[in-house]
Amino acid sequence: MSSDNDIDSALQQWQDNRRGASTDDVNLTIPPTASRTKKPDRNVVQDANFARASDLYVDQRDDMQDADDQPDDDSSSHNSFGQLHGHRQPSQYHQTDGESPDHSFGANVLVHLSRGNTAYKVIEPEEKYDENGNVVDAPTIVCLHGLTDCSYIWEDVAEVLSCGDAGPTARVLVFDFYGRGRSPWSGFPCTLDVHVTQLKELLDALNLSGSPVHLLGYCLGGAVATGFAVKFPHLCKSLCLIDSAGVRMKNPARYKILKRKCLGELVMIKRRSKMAESQLEYFFDTSDNTEHRSLIDKQMHMVQWQLNNTPGYMGAILSTYRYFPLSGMGDLFAVAGRRDRPVLILWGNNDNMFPLRKALATLEHSFPSAEIIAIQQCGHNPIFEKFEDVATAIADFYKHI
């Protein structure tokens, strides 16, 4: 087990290396932005102004949709997805006119943080009592979503985690990163530190930062969870990573064009009409008769909903490609792995965004004691494509730590 001084030293070395390699990087030691008065970066202002003219940027507003479109306000309720023992099946999705695709589950409470509003949802478990009749405080599991989706993706997972029979009877916190779901984006760079700070401020606002939390991150959320574990090691009790960003990408050259000023905006405008359909790339089996077909449809419908309703959705994704280390975080993963904590890693064996064959060496080197599970015949989104495998693995993981 490494000391905090060793971790700080390794983190500083990673930051120095990144600064030498690229100017589009993040400083994990930046304090919360509420007290900063630094003049905005000129390139960021250019991005925001161009995006405003091209409909990539939408001014931040509190009321992002009519009350009738809001998800159920009862944060403690969640839909049953079938048997919690034995064979676990995800809930079925059916599109309904006049309702958002995440009407049954989604972040539905707003809190104002230093970068703007953040939408979140807390699912409280059934109360448990000790032998003296006192209520046992439930552990907190924070679920961090991916690049193009938002908190709706955790609906069935939250059901498992908050259940006392199948799962660890945990308090589950889900929220939307800036520019996703119901959390607006207002033109700032979507760096790793921005999202790490967003999580820390949210925990502070909800009085959940008094003790360590468990972090469960998918794709972009996996990289954020890793960054949080490095910056606030005393607040991360365990890590569960699902097809995490930050490792080697399959085709990084495909996204280099997005880093170029103006040209990146034009490319995103062109991709806008096909963005929902492009979600098919995240799945191994996209046939009409597959068990998870309704969840594939939900993914596409929810991306389209965000395109139409989320302030700054396209701009935030473009900013993520420009300023977030979607690959090349191997050294930072190693820093996170120096802390003695339980780690579970789940990966679709056929992930064509962050292929397991490219990620495996980094994961094994960084987390030598972690359990790494390759999910067969599965693409980048095991949560939807192989829910039973994911539910079983994470339930067992959290019940035994």
Side-chain angles (χ1 to χ4, degrees), residues 107-182:
N108 59 354
V109 182
L110 291 177
V111 60
H112 190 76
L113 306 179
S114 64
R115 294 283 187 174
N117 287 330
T118 290
Y120 72 93
K121 183 183 185 74
V122 177
I123 300 90
E124 294 286 354
E126 294 183 3
E127 290 185 345
K128 295 179 67 174
Y129 301 88
D130 60 21
E131 58 185 10
N132 297 321
N134 300 317
V135 176
V136 177
D137 188 30
T140 299
I141 301 176
V142 184
C143 299
L144 309 171
H145 64 76
L147 176 65
T148 59
D149 45 71
C150 56
S151 56
Y152 70 89
I153 198 172
W154 298 113
E155 177 175 3
D156 296 321
V157 172
E159 172 81 12
V160 172
L161 297 178
S162 60
C163 175
D165 295 328
T169 318
R171 175 187 302 107
V172 181
L173 169 63
V174 301
F175 71 97
D176 298 333
F177 289 132
Y178 295 121
R180 278 78 166 184
R182 290 166 176 79

Side-chain angles (χ1 to χ4, degrees), residues 183-195:
S183 297
W185 176 77
S186 54
F188 49 82
C190 290
T191 65
L192 174 58
D193 191 67
V194 162
H195 292 310

Side-chain angles (χ1 to χ4, degrees), residues 7-255:
I7 292 175
D8 290 341
S9 176
L11 171 58
Q12 186 61 51
Q13 181 179 358
W14 178 81
Q15 292 170 337
D16 292 341
N17 292 338
R18 292 286 296 181
R19 290 193 191 97
S22 171
T23 58
D24 292 341
D25 193 32
V26 55
N27 181 0
L28 273 178
T29 60
I30 294 178
T33 59
S35 60
R36 293 164 61 200
T37 58
K38 182 180 178 181
K39 184 177 180 179
D41 182 87
R42 182 179 179 184
N43 289 333
V44 176
V45 175
Q46 289 175 347
D47 285 349
N49 289 339
F50 188 95
R52 182 182 296 109
S54 63
D55 196 34
L56 289 178
Y57 174 97
V58 182
D59 285 335
Q60 179 173 320
R61 62 184 188 270
D62 290 344
D63 299 323
M64 290 183 287
Q65 59 176 8
D66 294 335
D68 291 340
D69 289 336
Q70 290 283 355
D72 186 359
D73 287 334
D74 183 3
S75 297
S76 64
S77 65
H78 30 263
N79 291 343
S80 173
F81 57 85
Q83 294 293 327
L84 291 178
H85 300 282
H87 189 66
R88 299 185 178 99
Q89 289 292 329
S91 57
Q92 294 298 304
Y93 164 72
H94 302 284
Q95 187 176 22
T96 303
D97 292 339
E99 291 183 324
S100 63
D102 65 342
H103 68 275
S104 62
F105 181 95
N108 59 354
V109 182
L110 291 177
V111 60
H112 190 76
L113 306 179
S114 64
R115 294 283 187 174
N117 287 330
T118 290
Y120 72 93
K121 183 183 185 74
V122 177
I123 300 90
E124 294 286 354
E126 294 183 3
E127 290 185 345
K128 295 179 67 174
Y129 301 88
D130 60 21
E131 58 185 10
N132 297 321
N134 300 317
V135 176
V136 177
D137 188 30
T140 299
I141 301 176
V142 184
C143 299
L144 309 171
H145 64 76
L147 176 65
T148 59
D149 45 71
C150 56
S151 56
Y152 70 89
I153 198 172
W154 298 113
E155 177 175 3
D156 296 321
V157 172
E159 172 81 12
V160 172
L161 297 178
S162 60
C163 175
D165 295 328
T169 318
R171 175 187 302 107
V172 181
L173 169 63
V174 301
F175 71 97
D176 298 333
F177 289 132
Y178 295 121
R180 278 78 166 184
R182 290 166 176 79
S183 297
W185 176 77
S186 54
F188 49 82
C190 290
T191 65
L192 174 58
D193 191 67
V194 162
H195 292 310
V196 168
T197 301
Q198 182 185 17
L199 171 55
K200 177 58 166 60
E201 291 179 350
L202 179 60
L203 292 175
D204 290 342
L206 301 179
N207 296 317
L208 293 176
S209 57
S211 58
V213 298
H214 303 272
L215 297 180
L216 168 56
Y218 159 64
C219 185
L220 178 72
V224 175
T226 302
F228 186 92
V230 170
K231 186 172 184 179
F232 304 104
H234 60 290
L235 291 180
C236 178
K237 193 168 185 177
S238 73
L239 271 177
C240 180
L241 307 178
I242 304 177
D243 290 71
S244 176
V247 296
R248 293 176 60 189
M249 303 181 75
K250 180 179 181 179
N251 186 14
R254 176 183 178 186
Y255 305 101

